[in-house]
Amino acid sequence: MLESPSSSKPLNQRPLILGSTSRYRRELLERLGLTFATVPPEVDETPAPGEAPRALALRLAEAKARAVAALHPEAVVIGSDQVADLAGQPLGKPLTHERAVLQLRAMRGQTVLFETAVCVTCQASGFVQTELATVEVQFRDLDDDEIERYLRAEQPYDCAGSAKSEGLGISLLTHILNDDPTALIGLPLIRTAKLLRAAGLRLP
C-alpha cells in the first residue's frame, strides 16, 4: 500500500505512480532516476465509433491517469497510450500472430503515424496536463516471407503496429521522423519530464 503524505507537503514529496502494465513504459520511466510504483489502470480501451487515432490516444492516456489517481489521490500519476494511425484507422496491439501478419501486410509501403499521449495528474492538487507526440514511420514494401520471419523472431504481439523499432523491427522501416526519441517505444520522455516538472516534481 502506498503511503499518502499530507496535502501540505510539496509535490516533490508525493508518491509517483505509473498507471500502466507495460514493461516498456516502466523501463523507459526508470531512465529518469525517479522512485515510482506501478498500478494497472482499469480502463476500457475500446475506440468510440468514428474516433480518430489521435483523439483515442489522448482520451485513453487521461482516462488511465485519472482512474489510478482516483485510487491514490495524493500521488502524482502518469497515464499513457499509443495508437498507430494508418490512413485514419487506429491500429492497436495485435495480441496474436495472425493479427500481426494482417497489420504488417496493411502497413507495407505505407506511412504510419504513431500517436503517443502522456497525461500527468494529481487529484489532491488539481493538476492535470496532457501532451501528444506524433511519430511518422515509413514501412518498407515488405514481402510475406519477411513479415513471417520477423514476427517469428521478435514476436511483437504486445506492440501497437506489430513492430519493435528498438529491436529487429528497425529493419522493416525506411525512416522515422520524431522529436521525442522514446515516443515510438511507448513513453515520450521529453514530454513526460516536462509534465512532471510542471506538476512540481524535482528530476535528478
Side-chain angles (χ1 to χ4, degrees), residues 2 11 33 38 56 61 65 69 78 117 128 144 150 159 165 174 182 191:
L2 290 168
L11 278 176
T38 58
L56 176 60
I78 302 169
V128 55
D144 287 348
Y150 168 68
C159 299
S165 64
T174 61
T182 60
R191 287 166 171 80

Side-chain angles (χ1 to χ4, degrees), residues 134-167:
T134 300
V135 183
E136 180 183 302
V137 177
Q138 176 69 41
F139 280 79
R140 292 172 42 242
D141 190 11
L142 307 166
D143 62 39
D144 287 348
D145 182 60
E146 286 179 301
I147 290 173
E148 186 68 22
R149 285 188 288 111
Y150 168 68
L151 291 177
R152 294 298 181 189
E154 197 150 62
Q155 302 182 15
Y157 308 132
D158 60 346
C159 299
S162 304
K164 294 181 181 180
S165 64
E166 69 275 25

Side-chain angles (χ1 to χ4, degrees), residues 25 43-45 47 51-66 78-84 90 114-120 128-134 188 191 195:
R25 292 192 177 104
V43 171
D44 181 1
E45 299 189 27
E51 188 172 24
R54 174 182 296 230
L56 176 60
L58 287 165
R59 177 175 65 81
L60 290 180
E62 184 169 337
K64 291 176 181 180
R66 288 187 181 276
I78 302 169
S80 184
D81 194 78
Q82 184 181 79
V83 180
F114 285 80
E115 307 285 9
T116 306
V118 58
C119 176
V120 172
V128 55
Q129 286 187 20
T130 305
E131 294 248 353
L132 182 78
T134 300
R191 287 166 171 80
L195 292 177

Side-chain angles (χ1 to χ4, degrees), residues 73-97:
E74 296 291 342
V76 174
V77 179
I78 302 169
S80 184
D81 194 78
Q82 184 181 79
V83 180
D85 178 349
L86 176 59
Q89 295 300 310
L91 300 177
K93 300 173 183 177
L95 302 180
T96 68
H97 180 83

Side-chain angles (χ1 to χ4, degrees), residues 10-108:
L11 278 176
N12 64 358
Q13 294 184 28
R14 294 187 188 277
L16 175 63
I17 299 176
L18 174 63
S20 177
T21 57
S22 167
R23 64 184 175 92
Y24 306 110
R25 292 192 177 104
R26 184 185 69 247
E27 290 168 358
L28 288 171
L29 187 57
E30 286 172 351
R31 297 186 188 182
L32 298 183
L34 298 168
T35 299
F36 64 93
T38 58
V39 174
E42 299 296 330
V43 171
D44 181 1
E45 299 189 27
T46 305
E51 188 172 24
R54 174 182 296 230
L56 176 60
L58 287 165
R59 177 175 65 81
L60 290 180
E62 184 169 337
K64 291 176 181 180
R66 288 187 181 276
V68 174
L71 301 175
H72 304 279
E74 296 291 342
V76 174
V77 179
I78 302 169
S80 184
D81 194 78
Q82 184 181 79
V83 180
D85 178 349
L86 176 59
Q89 295 300 310
L91 300 177
K93 300 173 183 177
L95 302 180
T96 68
H97 180 83
E98 293 72 23
R99 290 176 184 171
V101 169
L102 292 176
Q103 282 195 358
L104 288 177
R105 284 177 177 172
M107 294 187 297
R108 55 187 169 194

